[in-house]
Amino acid sequence: MRYPKIREIVEALVSLFTRAYTTKYPQEPHVPEESFRGKPVVDDENCVGCETCANVCPSLAITFRDDKERKIRIIERDYGKCIFCGQCEEHCITGKGVKLSDKIYDLATFDRKSLKEIQEKELLICESCGAIITTKEHMLYLHSKLGPKAYASILNLNLLNEKLRLAESEDVKVSVRDELKRKDMFNIVCPNCLRRILVKYL
Ligand code: SF4
Ligand code: SF4
């Protein structure tokens, strides 16, 4: 076309004298709306490593791996995959383990690996069969929620003994034998082994 269209000239003039729709980030800080959903931020003190958030995350941004040798659960959160849906915050069992922040542009990077965060939590492992029960913090959290009812579970009682330092001495700690004995119920055993002891001896 030889001459520019009149409509395009008008549009160019209008946009020249009106305010920009885009923000000036990073020259100016980004001011989000009230309900803005940004990067999830984990509060390690209030996260018990229960796996619930990984199960509800639609983009598989949260993964868990249990290392039996080191007795730890490794939780990896990859914010490069996060779609800021807020499901992890909504379903967190403690209600405080993860909260969405209002930061999102700060995630821009050329190195995707820098968007990964790792957490580690101590695992509870059955001293009889070696099955992974859950994390220690998860069990203590359940104990605090159940109150006195938690004493119905021998596993919880053992943990409480440990907290009160009653189980620190080797004299107090009972060793698990090849054949499960009645007194093995006072060790950390999984629900399956505990059931076997209870059925056999009670
Ligand atoms: S905000 Fe959504 S996508 Fe991001 S980690 Fe939480 S559950 Fe997964
Ligand atoms: S649901 Fe909450 S407590 Fe459980 S692992 Fe996720 S952030 Fe931690």
Side-chain angles (χ1 to χ4, degrees):
M1 184 181 293
R2 214 164 156 190
Y3 300 105
K5 287 181 186 168
I6 300 294
R7 182 175 57 90
E8 285 163 350
I9 294 173
V10 172
E11 271 178 14
L13 286 173
V14 168
S15 66
L16 197 63
F17 295 104
T18 49
R19 239 179 96 234
Y21 285 109
T22 50
T23 66
K24 291 190 176 168
Y25 183 88
Q27 273 78 29
E28 287 176 14
H30 171 239
V31 184
E33 297 297 324
E34 208 175 299
S35 55
F36 187 85
R37 293 194 304 231
K39 177 184 178 280
V41 176
V42 175
D43 177 355
D44 195 47
E45 289 286 304
N46 286 300
C47 169
V48 295
C50 65
E51 282 191 43
T52 307
C53 51
N55 291 331
V56 297
C57 177
S59 63
L60 307 180
I62 310 169
T63 49
F64 283 72
R65 186 162 50 85
D66 289 337
D67 184 338
K68 255 190 182 183
E69 294 285 306
R70 292 169 59 213
K71 290 190 177 175
I72 53 161
R73 172 166 291 168
I74 300 149
I75 308 158
E76 187 178 298
R77 297 172 197 264
D78 184 351
Y79 298 114
K81 292 182 183 169
C82 177
I83 56 171
F84 315 105
C85 64
Q87 291 295 307
C88 51
E89 177 181 327
E90 196 175 327
H91 294 279
C92 175
I93 64 159
T94 67
K96 300 180 208 160
V98 62
K99 295 261 179 223
L100 264 61
S101 67
D102 58 8
K103 301 273 181 294
I104 199 164
Y105 294 129
D106 311 80
L107 287 174
T109 180
F110 289 111
D111 178 16
R112 286 185 72 97
K113 283 187 191 149
S114 67
L115 297 175
K116 290 184 185 177
E117 278 177 13
I118 304 275
Q119 269 177 287
E120 290 187 350
K121 296 283 175 189
E122 186 183 340
L123 276 178
L124 275 183
I125 294 182
C126 175
E127 290 174 15
S128 169
C129 69
I132 293 165
I133 304 169
T134 182
T135 64
K136 194 170 177 180
E137 282 174 58
H138 187 194
M139 188 55 78
L140 288 170
Y141 173 73
L142 295 177
H143 192 281
S144 72
K145 293 299 279 185
L146 285 169
K149 287 183 197 144
Y151 294 104
S153 158
I154 290 161
L155 182 67
N156 281 338
L157 195 57
N158 284 329
L159 271 182
L160 188 71
N161 281 346
E162 210 174 294
K163 225 171 150 189
L164 297 172
R165 298 177 184 275
L166 295 176
E168 273 192 352
S169 153
E170 279 304 310
D171 303 339
V172 176
K173 203 167 167 56
V174 186
S175 63
V176 174
R177 297 146 190 273
D178 294 341
E179 177 78 11
L180 281 169
K181 299 285 180 212
R182 191 170 188 269
K183 61 181 177 178
D184 290 333
M185 71 169 73
F186 296 104
N187 283 324
I188 304 282
V189 285
C190 68
N192 271 343
C193 289
L194 183 60
R195 182 180 51 81
R196 276 168 50 212
I197 299 169
L198 294 178
V199 166
K200 199 166 176 187
Y201 296 105
L202 294 187

